[in-house]
Amino acid sequence: MTDSHPPATLEARELTCIRDDRALFTDLSFRLGPAQVLLIEGRNGSGKTSLLRILCGIRMPDTGTITWNGGDIYRLATGYNASTAYIGHKDGIKLELTAEENLNFARSLGSPSDIRLSEALEQMELGGYDDIQAINLSAGQKRRLALARLLVTRSTLWILDEPFTSLDTHGIAMVEDLITNHLAKGGMLAVTSHHPVNLGNADITRINLSERSA
């Protein structure tokens, strides 16, 4: 039986973001569909994180609209949030909780996937760290734990701010594989990164915000 639901789409039209009376970017428009990547580049202070926060619905653009499947994301509210997963520049994990407790907490806030918590930890090479408090993990392990949240919830759109922070070459390759698998299943990605991103033949739209400031 054919799925009658149309493919998911994220569309931004004429976005402007102003901070401290300075336009970080103006008249920014783009469209993102299944298996597509929006790679946001630019110097520090150009508005990369601000744009991701706008896409998450955390803050509103000063002008412009963002729609998800044709509906305004701010009106969709939790309906849109259920389709997205956001990992910020900081890990966003609770240091007093164990690795497994952190994932269980993340799962309780989203739509749970079928993967077991222990499997998610194994996939991110954190097997055996289930009962270790996050405060005792290395910086790279904390980052991998943060990214493991992507495995334990179902989200069509991943919004990732510098996901490769604190990761070594092997860890970066691991996350690139994680993203590639997400895209192969029709997932979508909006990402900022100071590192070169190797996603094979992925359909990538690049936006350099340094060229967009007023």
Side-chain angles (χ1 to χ4, degrees), residues 124-126 139-148 167 171 174:
M124 299 306 292
E125 297 189 357
L126 291 171
Q141 289 170 331
K142 289 185 178 76
R143 195 57 176 167
R144 282 187 272 131
L145 175 59
L147 292 163
L167 296 179
M174 187 190 313

Side-chain angles (χ1 to χ4, degrees), residues 2-52:
T2 303
D3 188 349
S4 59
H5 294 290
T9 57
L10 177 74
E11 187 168 4
R13 298 179 183 174
E14 300 179 347
L15 299 182
T16 295
C17 178
I18 298 173
R19 188 175 65 199
D20 298 328
D21 297 323
R22 181 174 70 90
L24 296 180
F25 51 83
T26 60
D27 299 324
L28 179 63
S29 299
F30 56 84
R31 187 177 184 276
L32 195 61
Q36 293 182 330
V37 177
L38 177 69
L39 177 57
I40 304 161
E41 303 173 315
R43 62 180 179 272
N44 290 340
S46 61
K48 299 188 298 297
T49 295
S50 294
L51 177 55
L52 291 191

Side-chain angles (χ1 to χ4, degrees), residues 78-114:
T78 56
Y80 172 66
N81 293 338
S83 299
T84 65
Y86 173 60
I87 306 292
H89 182 66
K90 295 183 178 180
D91 297 322
I93 58 178
K94 295 185 177 295
L95 298 179
E96 71 275 14
L97 299 183
T98 66
E100 188 172 85
E101 288 170 341
N102 266 284
L103 293 189
N104 198 36
F105 179 71
R107 172 172 275 178
S108 71
L109 298 177
S111 178
S113 68
D114 294 331

Side-chain angles (χ1 to χ4, degrees), residues 106-134:
R107 172 172 275 178
S108 71
L109 298 177
S111 178
S113 68
D114 294 331
I115 190 170
R116 295 197 302 269
L117 301 183
S118 58
E119 292 175 345
L121 291 171
E122 285 283 353
Q123 188 168 332
M124 299 306 292
E125 297 189 357
L126 291 171
Y129 289 85
D130 311 46
D131 297 325
I132 302 298
Q133 281 184 301

